[in-house]
Amino acid sequence: MAAQEQYEELARQLSVVAAVRRDLGRLLPHDCSPASAVLLAQLQQYGEIRMSKLAELLAVDMSVTSRHVAYAAERGWLDRQADPADKRSRLLRITPAGEALLREVSARYTQALATFLKDWPDDDIGRLIDLLARLRESFGDCRARPSHQTHHEEAPQASAAV
Amino acid sequence: MAAQEQYEELARQLSVVAAVRRDLGRLLPHDCSPASAVLLAQLQQYGEIRMSKLAELLAVDMSVTSRHVAYAAERGWLDRQADPADKRSRLLRITPAGEALLREVSARYTQALATFLKDWPDDDIGRLIDLLARLRESFGDCRARPSHQTHHEEAPQASAAV
DNA sequence: TATTGTTATACTCTATAACTATA
DNA sequence: TATAGTTATAGAGTATAACAATA
């Protein structure tokens, strides 16, 4: 159990770090919102998934996911196919155009991070990634499942971009 | 210099961790937005500062800061006094009512984090806080000052809440 | 009757630009 | 002329609730 000051400081840091996200968002191509970039990255990482699964991965309401998916589909970045096993569902998959966009986004993000974090040791970047992933997991578990049960996600398909 | 995959993964984690921020935001009292909470926390930490300084600390445009400050001032959570040294400026300071609100917010955040992160070692929480602070600093320096010059903030006045 | 996904509506946060008042 | 701050406007993101189609 950590001290109260640690929890307070963590909450404050999480708020202010949102600025870093905004900065990265400004690097994106004109018609590609941060939401589109994250959405496509998840699709590339997890392969063919349903709307509800994508909403869970993004940790936003399905209504929000639905709008962002529609936007990306209009631009040809992903496909929506009816699920033969359940006609209420639609299976989402990234298209080659979506993958090309993701490569561009990844290149821009990488260049920016390489510039800003040029003084960072690799180990620190790895540690930060690991801790953020665990933070999200600790919260996600509590949100979805009030129980103590451990929760294993399916393994990603590809090593994925941004 | 880290590998491209690391930068991509970091960008993705930063996006998805936004969900944790939203979760924390939902814990706040009805009339206290996340923006108010962060703003008051910064005021408590840095003492009496100007609008422009607060905007820099929050890493948002001054127009945004101005609106959030006006909201908090209407509710008596902070004071705005004309700066005798420069009549264009206004000096901001948190009020006792603001500090009381911050204590309440801090209690809720702490309780939630203590629950969700109950399995985390203290050291990991400390490491995450440190890395997030450095991340923000690396970006903030690049945003404000394109040079290599190191940048020393004034020391905070109090150990502060949330 | 419950679930998957869509759409309408409203609210929050943000940036840009035009404005004021001081410097 | 430049700077500190305010306000108006517009755009992106999100949640809630009502709805359609299917299980």
Side-chain angles (χ1 to χ4, degrees):
Chain A
M1 179 69 73
Q4 175 164 356
E5 287 79 28
Q6 274 196 303
Y7 290 133
E8 291 169 349
E9 181 64 21
L10 177 57
R12 191 164 45 233
Q13 289 301 335
L14 284 175
S15 282
V16 178
V17 158
V20 174
R21 270 189 78 218
R22 288 199 301 278
D23 287 339
L24 284 177
R26 276 187 268 273
L27 301 171
L28 293 172
H30 172 46
D31 59 348
C32 177
S33 66
S36 294
V38 186
L39 182 157
L40 291 175
Q42 296 287 0
L43 274 191
Q44 186 176 71
Q45 189 168 19
Y46 285 88
E48 196 177 55
I49 56 179
R50 299 162 64 148
M51 287 285 319
S52 52
K53 172 69 175 176
L54 181 57
E56 181 194 322
L57 289 173
L58 299 173
V60 295
D61 192 87
M62 192 156 55
S63 67
V64 176
T65 309
S66 179
R67 275 235 322 282
H68 291 160
V69 163
Y71 180 92
E74 282 166 19
R75 278 150 193 80
W77 298 332
L78 58 81
D79 269 339
R80 287 187 285 191
Q81 291 184 328
D83 182 347
D86 182 344
K87 284 177 186 162
R88 295 172 305 180
S89 271
R90 303 174 80 168
L91 293 173
L92 311 176
R93 185 158 35 177
I94 192 170
T95 61
E99 288 178 332
L101 174 64
L102 219 39
R103 278 191 295 275
E104 170 64 23
V105 169
S106 174
R108 297 189 190 192
Y109 277 8
T110 297
Q111 196 210 331
L113 288 170
T115 302
F116 295 161
L117 307 186
K118 61 181 182 305
D119 298 331
W120 281 50
D122 287 14
D123 282 357
D124 282 353
I125 299 184
R127 258 189 284 276
L128 178 54
I129 292 171
D130 175 58
L131 288 165
L132 288 176
R134 282 164 54 200
L135 179 69
R136 158 104 166 81
E137 204 181 328
S138 294
F139 265 72
D141 285 354
C142 289
R143 180 167 40 226
R145 307 170 181 71
S147 77
H148 283 215
Q149 181 183 343
T150 315
H151 145 212
H152 297 288
E153 284 296 342
E154 300 139 32
Q157 285 201 343
S159 69
V162 177
Chain B
M1 179 69 74
Q4 175 165 356
E5 287 79 28
Q6 275 197 302
Y7 290 131
E8 291 170 348
E9 181 64 21
L10 177 56
R12 191 163 46 233
Q13 288 301 336
L14 285 175
S15 283
V16 178
V17 158
V20 174
R21 269 188 79 219
R22 288 199 301 277
D23 287 340
L24 284 178
R26 276 187 267 272
L27 301 172
L28 294 172
H30 173 46
D31 58 348
C32 177
S33 66
S36 294
V38 186
L39 183 158
L40 292 175
Q42 297 287 359
L43 274 191
Q44 187 175 71
Q45 187 168 20
Y46 286 88
E48 195 178 56
I49 56 179
R50 299 161 63 146
M51 287 285 319
S52 50
K53 172 70 175 174
L54 181 58
E56 181 194 323
L57 289 172
L58 298 174
V60 295
D61 192 87
M62 192 155 55
S63 66
V64 175
T65 308
S66 178
R67 274 236 323 281
H68 290 161
V69 163
Y71 180 92
E74 283 166 17
R75 278 151 193 79
W77 298 331
L78 58 81
D79 269 339
R80 288 186 285 191
Q81 290 183 328
D83 182 347
D86 181 344
K87 285 178 186 161
R88 296 172 304 179
S89 268
R90 304 175 79 168
L91 292 173
L92 311 176
R93 184 157 37 177
I94 192 169
T95 61
E99 288 178 331
L101 174 65
L102 219 38
R103 278 192 296 276
E104 170 63 23
V105 170
S106 174
R108 296 190 190 192
Y109 277 7
T110 297
Q111 195 210 332
L113 288 170
T115 301
F116 295 162
L117 307 186
K118 61 182 184 303
D119 299 331
W120 281 49
D122 287 15
D123 283 357
D124 282 354
I125 298 183
R127 257 188 286 276
L128 178 55
I129 292 171
D130 176 58
L131 288 166
L132 288 177
R134 283 164 53 200
L135 179 69
R136 159 110 165 77
E137 204 180 328
S138 295
F139 265 71
D141 285 352
C142 289
R143 180 169 39 227
R145 307 172 180 70
S147 79
H148 283 217
Q149 181 182 343
T150 316
H151 145 212
H152 297 288
E153 283 296 342
E154 300 139 31
Q157 285 200 345
S159 69
V162 175

